Amino acid sequence: MQQAGDYVAEGRRWVVDLDLEKFFDRVNHDVLMSRLARRISDKRVLRLIRRYLQAGMMTGGVVSPRVEGTPQGGPLSPLMSNVLLDELDKELERRGHKFCRYADDCNIYVRSRQAGERVMASVTEFLERQLRLKVNVEKSAVARPWERKFLGYSMTWHKQPRLKVAKASVARLKAKVRAIFREGRGRSLSQVIKDLNELLRGWLQYFRLAEVKGVFEELDGWIRRKLRGLLWRQWKRPYTRAKALMKRGLAELRAWKSATNGRGAWWNAGASHMNEAFPKSFFDRLGLVSLLDQLRRFQLST
């Protein structure tokens, strides 16, 4: 992704975003085996790979032979896909294109929409004619790089673009966080935070290259608000809520007024009384991972 940013900074401010339709299900066995035969002379190895590719798949309790595609989840499938698509890499290099590819995701960076449309047409023809692969027309596009995502990242529109987390990646994380909270009803706050931390650490490791920090700060605040809302629901009764707020340092009159306001959990979770009673430092002491703080530590250590 950093290399993609370099291409955009050079003036290639259009991207040909190629999506291969059901790539792992559509790999042509004969085309793949012919490419492997160029590199492997031992026919026993080739026969073994062919048997691997043709391993039966079970549908409705019935095993049927595989005539195309690679076994999903198989250890050799990613390697086989790269062997096949290495020919695409060589073709793009031969044409002098600037591109980034990971498995079946490929972005080609060009200087104009017209150039992008020409590249899209010619590369699509190459994939379908030479490799027997089909381009998903609906998901592929010629667009600005900041309008598309690649491996979960996107970039800003500036002349010197910066990497950022794509909106779709943020939405997927929020869906996973919501699932943890649905499971967390009735569990202790510390247990919910433990489950959240496992998710957040892995997500942050992947997106540690992001240069736009705003989304990390927004997610931190959203997660803390969700946790405050969980507490509000767990307290249930106004008396319990008032006592809990007083225990956290709120004046008695304010605590009772807040506890009896009749508003829902989400509103109260974002209100000043809950923010004052349960500030960021409270969750820091409980060990909640702060995405923004961790990102800053990553960047300082590099």
Side-chain angles (χ1 to χ4, degrees):
M1 279 305 300
Q2 288 177 323
Q3 190 175 29
D6 293 339
Y7 295 154
V8 175
E10 292 171 4
R12 301 173 188 273
R13 298 176 71 80
W14 290 88
V15 62
V16 180
D17 187 357
L18 284 171
D19 184 90
L20 297 177
E21 187 173 295
K22 297 181 179 178
F23 172 71
F24 287 97
D25 294 331
R26 294 281 178 85
V27 169
N28 185 283
H29 290 176
D30 292 334
V31 173
L32 175 57
M33 292 307 301
S34 70
R35 271 55 178 181
L36 288 169
R38 297 174 186 174
R39 298 171 171 82
I40 302 172
S41 57
D42 192 329
K43 295 188 182 301
R44 294 172 300 173
V45 175
L46 292 173
R47 282 197 298 270
L48 184 62
I49 294 173
R50 172 75 79 167
R51 289 175 64 184
Y52 166 80
L53 292 173
Q54 294 177 336
M57 51 185 175
M58 184 172 290
T59 306
V62 178
V63 177
S64 56
R66 190 188 304 272
V67 295
E68 64 177 356
T70 60
Q72 290 291 327
L76 277 181
S77 294
L79 175 60
M80 296 297 101
S81 68
N82 274 322
V83 168
L84 184 61
L85 290 175
D86 182 64
E87 193 157 333
L88 171 63
D89 295 346
K90 295 295 189 292
E91 178 66 16
L92 294 176
E93 289 170 358
R94 186 185 68 79
R95 298 182 185 188
H97 290 312
K98 302 296 185 182
F99 67 96
C100 295
R101 183 183 69 80
Y102 184 84
D104 58 330
D105 289 328
C106 183
N107 279 2
I108 307 167
Y109 296 87
V110 295
R111 295 184 184 277
S112 68
R113 176 181 283 279
Q114 291 80 3
E117 298 290 354
R118 289 195 301 271
V119 171
M120 174 72 82
S122 61
V123 172
T124 297
E125 182 185 2
F126 171 82
L127 287 166
E128 294 181 350
R129 177 170 45 84
Q130 295 291 333
L131 302 181
R132 311 273 184 89
L133 297 172
K134 185 173 177 59
V135 172
N136 189 324
V137 178
E138 292 182 1
K139 293 185 178 180
S140 299
V142 177
R144 297 292 194 179
W146 48 88
E147 295 172 351
R148 308 295 289 182
K149 64 181 178 66
F150 182 62
L151 303 180
Y153 283 90
S154 186
M155 61 181 72
T156 64
W157 51 267
H158 301 90
K159 187 174 181 179
Q160 293 293 330
R162 295 183 297 160
L163 289 181
K164 65 178 185 178
V165 182
K167 290 181 179 178
S169 302
V170 175
R172 282 195 294 271
L173 175 67
K174 285 189 170 184
K176 292 178 181 178
V177 169
R178 288 189 183 101
I180 290 175
F181 276 97
R182 283 195 297 271
E183 297 167 359
R185 292 171 185 171
R187 290 190 296 164
S188 67
L189 190 65
S190 59
Q191 183 59 52
V192 174
I193 288 175
K194 180 181 177 183
D195 293 344
L196 281 173
N197 283 347
E198 291 178 7
L199 170 64
L200 297 177
R201 286 193 181 101
W203 191 85
L204 184 63
Q205 281 285 345
Y206 185 82
F207 288 106
R208 66 185 183 277
L209 297 177
E211 298 166 292
V212 178
K213 302 182 179 69
V215 67
F216 295 87
E217 186 175 9
E218 184 272 331
L219 282 169
D220 278 342
W222 179 76
I223 290 169
R224 288 195 296 269
R225 186 170 179 176
K226 294 283 287 182
L227 288 167
R228 294 184 190 107
L230 180 66
L231 286 172
W232 191 263
R233 288 190 184 92
Q234 288 178 346
W235 293 334
K236 294 182 181 178
R237 297 166 53 233
Y239 175 82
T240 309
R241 290 168 179 167
K243 289 297 183 183
L245 290 173
M246 284 188 281
K247 187 176 180 180
R248 291 294 306 163
L250 267 67
E252 183 176 357
L253 180 61
R254 187 183 178 197
W256 277 105
K257 186 176 179 180
S258 300
T260 56
N261 61 32
R263 301 272 193 163
W266 182 247
W267 186 91
N268 278 283
S272 60
H273 54 271
M274 285 296 283
N275 276 274
E276 186 177 326
F278 298 95
K280 178 180 180 297
S281 57
F282 171 82
F283 295 106
D284 288 342
R285 288 194 297 272
L286 288 179
L288 176 66
V289 167
S290 167
L291 295 172
L292 182 60
D293 291 348
Q294 291 295 320
L295 180 67
R296 285 170 174 161
R297 290 193 186 102
F298 276 132
Q299 293 176 341
L300 286 173
S301 62
T302 56

